[in-house]
Amino acid sequence: MIEARRLHILRAVADHRTVTAAAAALYLTPSAVSQQLTALEQETGHRLVERSARGVRLTPAGEILLAHTNAVLAQLERAEAELAAYSSGAAGTVTLASFATGIGLVVAPALAWLAETAPGIRVRVQDAEGDASLPMVLDRQVDVAVAVEYRGAPGADDSRLTRVALYAEPFDAVLPGGHRAADSERIPLAELAKDPWIGPFPGNPCHDVVVLACEQAGFQPVLEHTSDDFRAVVALAAAGAGVALVPRSALRGMEVTGAVVRPVDGNAPTRRVFAAVRTGAEGHPLIAPVLDALGEAAG
């Protein structure tokens, strides 16, 4: 008989590629993860992982089991949801991870909506960048992620996750007040090809959006200044340090004295935001109202 908790460990090892990283995500020791993998191999009668200096990869037998693991764990989530519904599930705690702008734009209004419609549900919010929250959901560190599309993200067809689209927003160009294009109504990105750029650190999903938009305009941006804080990005632009692309919602209510904000000419780069839960959990009587509240706030 295969134990479900060992399937969780197998999936974490497949996601994180090393025993050490999987152990950290699951709050276990590396030796405990190795022991559980060994026990799983004994249960199945197959070698499931291969270790090397570069990490761990699944064997063909491990890949077969992983495909079934995703289906089994999703069905267990559904079972938990139905049992919770049977016992009413009117009160409890849901953990949610979101990037800062998402917290302000949809999470906080969703909490206010829940306070009126489902006062028994308590939501604990964690600030996490858009590329960190999805692994947190898969590792069962949180129940819900408010995340953004980024290179390398689990796709919309990933069977491990169920998504709810929330909103899409364009990036606007932020220029120093004395910039040669400051008087333009809209900014073609190609005109900024030779400017120094200010942007998020590599690994931040917004970094990918900025770089890809510039590449599509025919150039590679020279990022001379980096910050994940959009207030800092705007302040640097206002000081004449360079140009930037910033999500429109991040600019709301922000002091931009010394800088100008203009829409991008043509197809503006866009940030697509969604909520995600482990497949099968979307019907849980605590999680479903949170997803509804996020949709209401985004609507």
Side-chain angles (χ1 to χ4, degrees), residues 32 36 73 105 129 193 200 234 241 270:
Q36 293 300 317
L73 295 182
L105 196 60
E129 289 298 337
V234 171
T270 301

Side-chain angles (χ1 to χ4, degrees), residues 18-24 27-37 51:
T18 71
V19 169
T20 300
Y27 300 104
L28 297 172
T29 64
S31 62
V33 169
S34 294
Q35 290 169 8
Q36 293 300 317
L37 287 175
R51 295 171 175 82

Side-chain angles (χ1 to χ4, degrees), residues 82-170:
E82 288 190 23
L83 287 170
Y86 176 75
S87 61
S88 80
T93 300
V94 175
T95 53
L96 182 151
S98 172
F99 58 100
T101 308
I103 291 174
L105 196 60
V106 292
V107 176
L111 265 59
W113 193 77
L114 282 169
E116 296 291 331
T117 61
I121 297 177
R122 175 172 173 258
V123 180
R124 286 177 39 223
V125 179
Q126 299 181 36
D127 189 331
E129 289 298 337
D131 58 335
S133 57
L134 294 179
M136 292 171 73
V137 168
L138 291 172
D139 292 334
R140 304 181 69 86
Q141 296 175 13
V142 298
D143 301 308
V144 182
V146 174
V148 299
E149 298 283 2
Y150 62 94
R151 293 183 189 183
D157 59 349
D158 192 311
S159 63
R160 300 172 298 170
L161 294 168
T162 294
R163 295 185 179 203
V164 176
L166 295 178
Y167 64 93
E169 62 172 330

Side-chain angles (χ1 to χ4, degrees), residues 11 69-79 159 278-281:
R11 186 160 80 178
T69 290
N70 293 332
V72 169
L73 295 182
Q75 191 59 41
L76 287 175
E77 294 282 357
R78 295 186 185 98
S159 63
R278 293 179 295 277
T279 296

